[in-house]
Amino acid sequence: MNVHAENQHKGYFCTMPENARLQSLLQEDERQFMEALFKTYFPLVCKSIYRLIPDMATAEDLAQEVFIKIWNRRDQLNEVYFKAYLHRAAVNMALDHIDKNKRRGGTHQELSPAVEDLRTTAPTVHVKETKQRIREAVDQLPEKCREIFILSRFEEMSYKEIAQHLQLSVKTVENQMITALKKLRVSLKEFLE
Amino acid sequence: MLSNDHIDTLIAREIEGEITAEEMGQLQSWLEADPANQAYYESLKDTWDLAAGAWSEMPEPDVERNWQRFSENLTAPAPLRVVTRRSSWWRMAAAAIVIVAAAGLTFTLIQRNKETVLTADNGKKTFTLPDGSKVYLNRNSQLAYNGSFGDDNRTVQLKGEAFFDVAADAANPFIVAAGASQTKVLGTTFVIKAYDDKPVQLDVVTGKVAFSGKKGDNGALVLTAGHTAILQTDKEPRQIQNSDPNFMAWKENRLYFSNVPLYKTLSAIEAYFNIRFIVSDPSLLNLNYTGTFDDPALTEVLDVISKTAEVKISEEEKDVYRISR
């Protein structure tokens, strides 16, 4: 991760650390900066959103909005560590979207109990389907429980950060984490022998 | 004796890695007290580990395609908008509004015997559909739906231009087929416009819609407020910048020009009044024009433009006007 002066003449794709490269691009050429930023981090942003909102079209759409906001704020980014900033923006975008949906009265979580039973008690499972089943089990968690579990397990956020994001106490986050693990332990027991 | 809740909290903290030495000591002695405790702890840890694989094979977004979609906005000088409010009228509508201009329409009807066809030949008309949705049809426009509309589908076929105020029903999406396009409504209000020999155009004012071509939902472009997309024949939809503030003039009964070249002013007036202009001196077309007309009458508009732009406008034949110095 060293910045070698001799590498800089090779252009932007040298061994400069990613963030410094993006920062210098931002000063030199906004458009090139945006393209580099987008192409480096769009998958990360998109996947972070997708884990919370398991619909790729919506995830891509919201990821686009994250980058639109970045572009509109491009003159205020000179102190930013982009990867963390984008990751946070992605999580916020997804959580806002879930909140808005909830206020409108519909979320993908509101499956009927019958559907849930079918999914969680389906009999034999092939190894290939394991990951799918784990995803489904996580998706079946109660809404807040699911959000907290995903933020902790996959978005590498501390309980304190999660508590701040969701405006909950750390205690609640800890309780919900254990609730999530207990529920998953039951619905995934066939994989936990 | 430690309570189970307290132990759970310690396990949660241990998993996070934010456990104090003292808490770790408590957890350790609890684990050693009973093999069942150890089994409980391990099952939760195993669950945590197992969950890691859940998204290890998630779908990869198409970065190039997304960059294309994104970069088309970058050429625009104005800041990109996530939400656009073009007028107070729309603020009250507070929903998805869409315009689609469609090309090469084939107007096929699935259940001819049961279908309902609504038409607006010369004037604008308002209809209420069986599901409670409202439709405002512009002139020379036609809307059709079959007998099962409202039961297991809410699909309509549009030829021409219409504004939809769609009744909410999350279980039964409202779909408008116009030309090669399909617009699936994720919000509640929108407009579709469809003219022959032009690309299908979709303009979202508020809310959100999915816009697709031949590939159906796989190639769908999900558009949010303030964004515009077009669909050319045999292509997939793509996002463009819409700079026409008069795209809803027919519905709002309002023409708005803010320092725009006269050719843009004239084409908006042509579309609004269904007339044609002939311009003998092309240099006139680059004169800039500013003005707003509420519920305009053609004679009034022509009169105001001829005075303010200092041009002569004369009627050449019915619905054809010549503009000269």
Side-chain angles (χ1 to χ4, degrees):
Chain A
M1 292 298 281
N2 294 324
V3 183
H4 297 296
E6 64 267 28
N7 280 330
Q8 292 187 10
H9 73 274
K10 288 180 188 167
Y12 298 118
F13 298 96
C14 59
T15 58
M16 268 175 89
E18 195 61 23
N19 209 62
R21 176 174 83 84
L22 288 165
Q23 280 296 355
S24 64
L25 256 182
L26 176 60
Q27 304 310 317
E28 292 160 25
D29 184 333
E30 285 179 343
R31 234 197 108 98
Q32 276 198 42
F33 156 76
M34 203 59 215
E35 182 163 357
L37 186 77
F38 192 99
K39 290 188 172 172
T40 308
Y41 292 122
F42 188 84
L44 173 131
V45 168
C46 201
K47 287 177 179 183
S48 293
I49 296 171
Y50 179 83
R51 281 191 281 261
L52 285 158
I53 301 169
D55 174 80
M56 202 27 118
T58 306
E60 286 186 16
D61 194 44
L62 294 172
Q64 289 268 348
E65 286 190 41
V66 167
F67 282 94
I68 287 172
K69 285 189 170 173
I70 294 277
W71 174 249
N72 289 342
R73 255 180 239 157
R74 61 193 180 277
D75 52 347
Q76 301 160 34
L77 299 174
N78 43 18
E79 303 272 303
V80 160
Y81 182 67
F82 291 109
K83 188 174 180 181
Y85 186 86
L86 281 165
H87 180 251
R88 176 150 305 213
V91 167
N92 284 334
M93 181 66 75
L95 293 174
D96 281 355
H97 180 84
I98 291 169
D99 276 357
K100 274 183 216 153
N101 255 354
K102 214 158 38 189
R103 258 178 270 128
R104 277 208 304 267
T107 88
H108 75 284
Q109 285 301 300
E110 289 168 2
L111 298 167
S112 68
V115 175
E116 279 186 44
D117 287 350
L118 271 179
R119 289 195 179 191
T120 47
T121 59
T124 47
V125 169
H126 299 285
V127 182
K128 270 169 117 181
E129 295 167 354
T130 308
K131 282 170 180 154
Q132 176 66 22
R133 288 292 307 280
I134 299 170
R135 268 203 298 278
E136 281 174 8
V138 174
D139 282 342
Q140 298 301 321
L141 291 171
E143 178 119 336
K144 274 286 165 255
C145 194
R146 183 182 72 98
E147 285 174 21
I148 289 164
F149 184 75
I150 289 173
L151 295 181
S152 171
R153 188 68 187 93
F154 304 103
E155 308 307 336
E156 290 168 14
M157 287 166 69
S158 70
Y159 296 160
K160 200 176 156 194
E161 285 176 295
I162 296 169
Q164 283 165 355
H165 260 73
L166 299 176
Q167 296 179 313
L168 300 168
S169 70
V170 172
K171 183 77 200 150
T172 304
V173 172
E174 288 170 348
N175 289 344
Q176 290 288 317
M177 273 304 295
I178 286 295
T179 305
L181 287 171
K182 284 180 176 172
K183 283 179 181 289
L184 290 174
R185 185 180 59 147
V186 174
S187 53
L188 298 173
K189 61 175 182 291
E190 67 210 278
F191 305 114
L192 289 165
E193 297 304 285
Chain B
M1 182 68 197
L2 295 162
S3 75
N4 288 337
D5 280 355
H6 183 67
I7 291 300
D8 279 349
T9 303
L10 294 184
I11 294 173
R13 288 180 187 166
E14 198 271 329
I15 282 172
E16 187 199 19
E18 293 268 324
I19 190 166
T20 65
E22 191 195 342
E23 290 168 335
M24 197 63 199
Q26 290 177 357
L27 185 58
Q28 281 298 346
S29 29
W30 179 81
L31 287 173
E32 285 157 16
D34 188 339
N37 291 353
Q38 184 73 33
Y40 174 79
Y41 167 82
E42 275 174 11
S43 73
L44 291 183
K45 282 284 271 187
D46 286 350
T47 304
W48 171 261
D49 291 340
L50 178 71
W55 277 276
S56 59
E57 286 174 5
M58 65 197 286
E60 282 292 326
D62 185 337
V63 176
E64 269 310 316
R65 183 174 56 75
N66 273 286
W67 169 249
Q68 285 301 317
R69 175 181 162 195
F70 183 83
S71 62
E72 275 161 20
N73 287 307
L74 290 188
T75 51
L80 302 182
R81 293 158 305 174
V82 175
V83 174
T84 297
R85 289 176 172 162
R86 288 173 201 262
S87 74
S88 57
W89 189 91
W90 293 111
R91 239 166 276 160
M92 294 195 303
I97 296 156
V98 179
I99 288 189
V100 173
L105 292 175
T106 45
F107 198 54
T108 47
L109 303 166
I110 302 150
Q111 291 186 24
R112 196 164 287 275
N113 51 342
K114 283 189 187 169
E115 72 161 3
T116 305
V117 179
L118 308 173
T119 56
D121 291 336
N122 297 317
K124 306 163 188 175
K125 283 186 186 167
T126 307
F127 301 95
T128 301
L129 300 180
D131 67 336
S133 298
K134 280 188 181 157
V135 182
Y136 303 72
L137 275 181
N138 200 356
R139 70 168 85 81
N140 298 325
S141 301
Q142 194 177 51
L143 186 81
Y145 54 88
N146 69 32
S148 63
F149 178 93
D151 299 336
D152 59 350
N153 76 88
R154 294 203 292 166
T155 302
V156 295
Q157 283 91 28
L158 174 72
K159 190 179 184 181
E161 180 171 15
F163 168 88
F164 295 85
D165 183 348
V166 174
D169 182 357
N172 201 352
F174 195 98
I175 296 169
V176 180
S181 76
Q182 251 206 4
T183 305
K184 191 189 258 181
V185 182
L186 311 175
T188 52
T189 20
F190 62 105
V191 182
I192 297 202
K193 186 164 78 173
Y195 288 123
D196 289 342
D197 306 325
K198 284 188 183 172
V200 178
Q201 184 170 321
L202 167 78
D203 198 315
V204 185
V205 177
T206 67
K208 191 171 171 184
V209 303
F211 184 51
S212 57
K214 279 182 179 167
K215 285 189 191 165
D217 284 349
N218 289 334
L221 193 57
V222 177
L223 289 177
T224 50
H227 293 104
T228 300
I230 58 167
L231 176 68
Q232 290 168 302
T233 315
D234 295 331
K235 291 194 176 163
E236 286 306 300
R238 64 187 179 89
Q239 205 172 337
I240 61 161
Q241 191 76 20
N242 184 9
S243 55
D244 179 11
N246 288 307
F247 70 101
M248 274 297 297
W250 69 274
K251 179 67 184 65
E252 296 181 274
N253 294 318
R254 188 169 194 266
L255 286 166
Y256 170 75
F257 306 107
S258 175
N259 203 29
V260 291
L262 196 58
Y263 71 88
K264 286 193 175 174
T265 307
L266 295 178
S267 48
I269 294 169
E270 283 184 332
Y272 188 89
F273 291 105
N274 204 17
I275 60 169
R276 272 198 324 122
F277 287 111
I278 299 171
V279 180
S280 37
D281 179 357
S283 69
L284 287 173
L285 294 176
N286 290 320
L287 293 171
N288 277 357
Y289 185 75
T290 297
T292 302
F293 301 94
D294 280 309
D295 204 4
L298 178 59
T299 49
E300 174 211 3
V301 173
L302 296 182
D303 192 42
V304 170
I305 287 179
S306 68
K307 281 181 182 138
T308 51
E310 296 177 327
V311 294
K312 281 184 205 142
I313 304 180
S314 53
E315 186 165 5
E316 186 112 334
E317 54 187 278
K318 185 172 160 33
D319 296 335
V320 179
Y321 296 82
R322 178 175 290 277
I323 298 190
S324 51
R325 282 204 191 266

